[in-house]
Amino acid sequence: MAQKARPGAWLAGGTALVHLGTAIASPYELHRDELLYAAMGTHLQWWRMDFPPLIALLANAQRALFGDAVWGLRVLPALAAATLVWLACDTARRLGGTPAAQCLAGLCVAANAVFLRTGSLFQPVVFDQLWWTLGLWALLRRALDDERRWWLVVGLAFGLGLLTKFSIAFIGVGVLVGTVVAATRRDLATPWPWGAALLAIGVGSASLTGQLALGWPVVGQMRDLSATQLDLVTPGQFVREQLLTGPAVLVACIGVLRLVRDRAQSGARAVGVACATAFGLLLALHGKSYYVAPIYPVLYGAGASQLSQWGEVLWQRRSRWLVHGLSGLQCAYGLLILPMGLPVLPPALMARYTAWLTGSDVTNTGAPIAIPQDYADMLGWRETADTVARVWQSLPPATRDSAVLVGFNYGRAGALDWYGPSRGVPRPVAPLGSYWFWGYGDRPGTVAVTIGGTPEFLATYWSEVTLAATYRNRWRVAEEREVRVYVVRGAGQPLARLWREFEGRN
């Protein structure tokens, strides 16, 4: 008789289908960050990027397979989100959880605004969540199976994490602390954890060589991020926002206690301590609330299995109702906050929904906004490209041969990188962030079409500044609601000067 499929397989498959369906039917465009990562693929230099380069490689892989369709850039995030669901379910199963407990663990991921949002966007975040979870799951397998070879999977996962986001360091520290305080400290006398560390560094070496080659740009990036966003996050806010995951937060709390106090498989304690350490580090360092999300899938699995065991002790045959009840609450919560996790409502409806649910929303810098910032950052880029293309085509042919396009943020430059070739405009340049490292090209820049800037600012680099077009969209973030396109002219090499003066800006 064929074996029945485990709940994890069904939930993971459903999660992938939901995300792919959203990617196809969403009324929104690509996110500004997605445009940047696609451009990183265009400019990929594996050993010399200012950013961990895996996201650029994945962008190229998806575009090679699916072309420039919006949904094509979101296939891998959908699969990563589905894998997170499966890992949560499998954690519950391996810790003795019933099929109902496995469903609860999977639903805590699948019906959760944090994981819905990250699984619907092509950003490093969902892959960061995947590598953290895979590493913790492998560490748990090392304890449950008593097989030190699982350390190599831990090392591979953390190496891929290093290729994705430098935040992998937080769970790396957590695993080190957990290993020392748990029974797994005996492993430190063997080659396995040290081999895992070497494997992680080897796999993630491209991220390190890029930083070395370019003068550690991550330091400036973190300084700017702290000044504009992280300093605004208080410990109280960080903790309160964990509650926005609904009933899942209770399951996670039970999960960490279950792992830390585990005596039957004392090596599992390393996983619980690692998660608690990472949480504490991010709390102390003013991390954003979603930075800690990668610890949750394994904790959901541990918590759900513990709940099923408590139910059997307390209510015997009726134990399933405890787990089923929490599953139902998480599903109801997931349906309530679904539009906050998946970009399914058009802007006008999303604004009304946001006002009804939360009263208002704010950007990363604390500014009020009608719809979530991620959704605002998924609007207007096609209009940007269309407007710039019209201005570009209005230039005399001889001028177009030597003129350049200059975007004054990576979203505008990324929009032209993505949409521009089909509209007959050249690749843009931008004097900040990753674009700064890609340079200003081989055109003199005596004539340029700029997206953004002010006449006063532009006049310091070009002698003639002409407003050519303006486009507006009230649903976008403040800096994008009214954008002006200028044609600028002047003698000399203004771009070279611009690049020198903008060095280090993000």
Side-chain angles (χ1 to χ4, degrees):
M1 182 179 294
Q3 185 180 12
K4 292 183 179 179
R6 296 189 179 110
W10 288 105
L11 283 173
T15 299
L17 289 175
V18 166
H19 282 294
L20 289 173
T22 300
I24 293 170
S26 175
Y28 295 84
E29 303 174 41
L30 288 173
H31 191 283
R32 72 159 69 223
D33 290 353
E34 293 176 307
L35 294 168
L36 172 63
Y37 301 131
M40 288 177 66
T42 303
H43 298 274
L44 179 60
Q45 300 179 59
W46 185 253
W47 301 102
R48 192 182 171 84
M49 300 290 282
D50 66 304
F51 199 88
L54 182 62
I55 195 73
L57 183 68
L58 297 179
N60 286 350
Q62 289 182 118
R63 295 182 79 175
L65 291 171
F66 308 114
D68 286 346
V70 170
W71 66 265
L73 205 58
R74 295 178 180 163
V75 172
L76 290 179
L79 296 178
T83 305
L84 286 170
V85 171
W86 184 88
L87 287 168
C89 294
D90 191 67
T91 299
R93 181 179 72 85
R94 293 185 183 280
L95 288 171
T98 62
Q102 296 168 45
C103 281
L104 173 59
L107 287 170
C108 285
V109 179
N112 187 319
V114 173
F115 295 101
L116 284 169
R117 180 78 65 84
T118 59
S120 66
L121 296 173
F122 179 65
Q123 297 177 331
V125 181
V126 70
F127 303 106
D128 185 51
Q129 292 170 349
L130 177 59
W131 309 137
W132 281 46
T133 301
L134 179 61
L136 291 170
W137 176 82
L139 187 61
L140 184 64
R141 291 293 303 273
R142 182 265 167 268
L144 300 180
D145 300 349
D146 196 23
E147 286 282 352
R148 291 191 174 107
R149 289 177 295 179
W150 282 104
W151 275 109
L152 297 181
V153 180
V154 176
L156 176 62
F158 286 3
L160 292 169
L162 183 56
L163 281 176
T164 303
K165 286 189 74 175
F166 290 117
S167 59
I168 195 70
F170 292 109
I171 195 60
V173 172
V175 167
L176 177 60
V177 174
T179 300
V180 170
V181 304
T184 46
R185 60 182 170 272
R186 293 189 295 268
D187 289 355
L188 296 174
T190 73
W192 294 102
W194 308 109
L198 289 174
L199 179 61
I201 293 172
V203 171
S205 59
S207 294
L208 301 176
T209 60
Q211 293 298 311
L212 286 168
L214 299 174
W216 295 96
V218 68
V219 175
Q221 292 164 4
M222 288 306 302
R223 183 175 58 248
D224 291 344
L225 183 64
S226 295
T228 59
Q229 298 182 32
L230 300 187
D231 287 348
L232 302 176
V233 181
T234 65
Q237 178 186 350
F238 181 88
V239 173
R240 286 194 303 272
E241 290 184 354
Q242 307 307 315
L243 303 177
L244 299 179
T245 58
V249 72
L250 173 63
V251 180
C253 290
I254 294 171
V256 74
L257 291 174
R258 195 261 191 210
L259 291 172
V260 169
R261 301 182 63 182
D262 195 313
R263 295 180 180 178
Q265 295 101 13
S266 58
R269 188 174 301 159
V271 178
V273 173
C275 292
T277 301
F279 187 98
L281 286 171
L282 288 165
L283 176 67
L285 295 173
H286 297 268
K288 295 182 184 181
S289 60
Y290 74 86
Y291 287 3
V292 78
I295 69 173
Y296 285 135
V298 167
L299 295 183
Y300 294 151
S305 67
Q306 183 65 67
L307 283 166
S308 69
Q309 292 164 22
W310 283 348
E312 289 176 1
V313 172
L314 295 173
W315 295 298
Q316 296 180 0
R317 292 184 180 179
R318 290 177 294 171
S319 66
R320 64 184 182 275
W321 295 112
L322 174 63
V323 174
H324 285 176
L326 277 173
S327 296
L329 288 174
Q330 187 65 35
C331 281
Y333 180 80
L335 289 173
L336 175 67
I337 52 82
L338 182 70
M340 300 298 290
L342 295 178
V344 292
L345 295 181
L349 284 178
M350 190 64 210
R352 293 171 60 186
Y353 170 83
T354 302
W356 170 78
L357 185 67
T358 65
S360 63
D361 210 331
V362 295
T363 66
N364 289 334
T365 58
I369 192 170
I371 62 177
Q373 181 173 347
D374 277 335
Y375 297 170
D377 282 339
M378 297 163 69
L379 293 169
W381 304 117
R382 189 178 290 106
E383 182 182 10
T384 297
D386 288 339
T387 303
V388 172
R390 287 195 296 271
V391 173
W392 182 264
Q393 296 301 333
S394 70
L395 297 176
T399 300
R400 291 200 299 268
D401 290 340
S402 60
V404 297
L405 290 179
V406 182
F408 281 103
N409 66 40
Y410 69 79
R412 299 167 189 170
L416 294 173
D417 253 321
W418 182 272
Y419 294 113
S422 64
R423 288 161 172 77
V425 300
R427 296 284 184 186
V429 299
L432 67 171
S434 294
Y435 272 91
W436 185 90
F437 290 99
W438 302 335
Y440 51 86
D442 55 2
R443 295 189 177 195
T446 52
V447 177
V449 174
T450 72
I451 308 93
T454 64
E456 296 77 17
F457 167 78
L458 296 172
T460 62
Y461 299 97
W462 290 275
S463 59
E464 180 184 337
V465 179
T466 304
L467 177 64
T470 302
Y471 58 94
R472 301 174 179 85
N473 188 315
R474 67 191 181 102
W475 300 116
R476 306 179 80 188
V477 295
E479 68 184 64
E480 302 293 347
R481 288 174 195 159
E482 181 175 290
V483 181
R484 297 179 178 181
V485 179
Y486 295 91
V487 176
V488 295
R489 295 176 173 86
Q493 290 277 347
L495 286 183
R497 177 185 165 196
L498 188 65
W499 250 249
R500 287 194 302 271
E501 295 184 6
F502 269 64
E503 183 175 2
R505 299 194 190 184
N506 292 294

